[in-house]
Amino acid sequence: MFNIESYRKAGSVAEAVRLLRENPLARLIAGGTDVLVKLRKNQEGFHHLVDIHDIAELKCITRTADGDLVIGAGSCFTAVAESPLIRRYVPVLAQAVRTIGGPQVRNMATIGGNLCNGVPSADSAPPLLALNAVLTIEGGAGPRQMPLEDFFQGPGRVALEQHEVLTAISVARDNYAGYYGHYDKYAMRAAMDIATIGCAAVCRLEDGRLQDLRLAFATAAPVPIRCKATEDRVRGRRISPELLDDIARAVTKDLQPRTSWRATKEFRLQIIATLAHRGVRQAILEAGGSIA
Amino acid sequence: MKRTITCTINGKRKELTVDVRQSLLEVLREQAGLISVKQGCAVGECGACTVLIDNVPIDSCLYLAVWADGRSIRTVEGESRDGKLSRVQQAFVEAGAVQCGICTPGFVMAATAFVEKHRGRKVTRPDIRPGLAGNLCRCTGYDSIITAVQKSLDEGDEP
Ligand code: FES
Ligand code: FES
């Protein structure tokens, strides 16, 4: 049995917020693939649960009249990967979440949970960062919105109060229309493994120029992170093999990988450069560009 | 911390009193007597505990029993009909995909979901591997298991 001391099931987001406020020790459980593993290890801080597993309003994936995509935070990875809207408009996200766990885990784990854990290795984070995703957070006083980029505060730390619920992740039309992307992950095993490095590249081309590039990494810094200096450096430049080499060199300065039992810092830097090169190249090809 | 849940297990409606602290794996084994459901790792790595919830494979070790309320659960015990093995079970036997057997019930359920989802589609061996990536086997080396899945898919048109 899991060492659960209190358990309340929420029927709606509003009820979840109320239940969280009632018990300051409580935290949310959605898909369960992280929280229940932590309970298995009897880790502190997970013994009081508010259950949002079955809240239907958190599982919708829709496109607004303006063309913005809204992904319910409780959508499981399989639902995200197989959603016709995601596959059509932001295939880079479908590509990234397909690399997570195995089918059983993807059928349970939620995209919101992946972000709220705040782990540096979250595979859903780089594509969403590269798509300038915005979060909708409910805390009882009406929803607030926050760019995903500001959400990650440190390893395991996110800008979510104890009583708040992440309800949706949105990608505005302007941030995906005309953009093409690629996600690449390096891990020790092809399946069921945590990213040693994950890299999402999203770009827009015009007349053989890299009109815009958004590059984001997982496990390459204390939090999932964008490579802003590199992006600024290459924006508007003509596409060439030299440009790709330049990007591969520049990204390592935007990141701070560290040594862990999984890989050394030096090894990670090598992988970062390789994935940046490969990711941007693939994104350019997806966008119909050619690299002379 | 007891709750009463109603669910369908292998086609039969059941009312169960479960503790909110129990995993579905514990309830299936200890209360429903379905001991095909194995606990390997208990943390979502091995797939030995795979069951289908509304025909979708999940790891029952990381699934709260209360979540099964109102849902339909399938385990390997319910897959044969009138003493006749399901197509997937039969294919596992024919392909020699069973050695010690501890991973087999989980594999059969993951494979069953995969076959049902991909019926009528063209599927290659490299497509099957990621479909079974949530299950570990220490004996077979996987090749015979992939063959079993392919066999089940190929025979998909027969009645
Ligand atoms: S026992 Fe559930 S995945 Fe290993
Ligand atoms: S047959 Fe022994 S673990 Fe698979």
Side-chain angles (χ1 to χ4, degrees), chain A residues 63-69 89 171-179:
Chain A
R63 188 163 173 264
T64 66
D66 295 335
D68 301 345
L69 292 170
Y89 296 108
V171 178
R173 184 179 189 281
D174 287 349
N175 282 315
Y176 71 78
Y179 284 84

Side-chain angles (χ1 to χ4, degrees), chain A residues 205 208 210 238-245 277-286 288-292:
Chain A
L205 308 185
L210 194 52
R238 185 154 289 286
I239 295 163
S240 68
E242 293 71 37
L243 178 64
L244 293 179
D245 294 340
H277 196 284
R278 194 190 290 172
V280 175
R281 186 191 153 80
Q282 280 304 325
I284 290 172
L285 294 177
E286 283 284 321
S290 61
I291 301 152

Side-chain angles (χ1 to χ4, degrees), chain B residues 10-11 74 76-86 89:
Chain B
N10 293 330
R74 283 165 68 186
V76 109
E77 282 89 343
E79 291 302 297
S80 59
R81 293 275 174 279
D82 308 319
K84 192 166 172 286
L85 296 180
S86 75
Q89 287 175 307

Side-chain angles (χ1 to χ4, degrees), chain B residues 99-103 137-140:
Chain B
Q99 288 190 32
C100 81
I102 186 107
C103 71
C137 175
R138 297 288 282 168
C139 303
T140 63

Side-chain angles (χ1 to χ4, degrees), chain A residues 1-2 4-5 7 29-33 36-37 40 51 53-54 78 82 102-105 107-108 189 191-192, chain B residues 1 3 20-23 26 42-45 50 56-59 61-62 66-67 71 117 130-131 133-135:
Chain A
M1 279 211 273
F2 297 104
I4 299 170
E5 283 168 37
Y7 169 89
I29 181 168
T33 52
L36 293 177
V37 169
R40 223 18 122 206
D51 186 357
H53 185 265
D54 288 327
T78 303
E82 293 180 356
Q104 292 91 325
V105 167
N107 289 336
M108 305 190 282
R189 287 182 66 214
M192 293 292 284
Chain B
M1 292 206 248
R3 300 279 193 285
V20 298
R21 294 168 294 183
Q22 279 181 304
S23 66
E26 289 168 304
V43 290
E45 296 278 353
T50 303
V56 173
I58 56 103
D59 293 324
C61 68
L62 289 187
V66 286
W67 290 342
R71 299 199 158 95
K117 189 167 176 173
N135 295 73

Side-chain angles (χ1 to χ4, degrees), chain B residues 25 38-49 59 61:
Chain B
L25 175 127
K38 305 296 183 208
Q39 176 166 312
C41 64
V43 290
E45 296 278 353
C46 74
C49 63
D59 293 324
C61 68

Side-chain angles (χ1 to χ4, degrees), chain A residues 5-6 19-28 44-50 162-163:
Chain A
E5 283 168 37
S6 78
L19 293 171
L20 286 170
R21 281 187 185 274
E22 273 174 30
N23 180 358
L25 294 175
R27 56 188 303 156
L28 298 172
E44 257 337 289
F46 293 88
H47 300 308
H48 296 262
L49 301 179
V50 169
Q162 181 268 339
H163 66 274

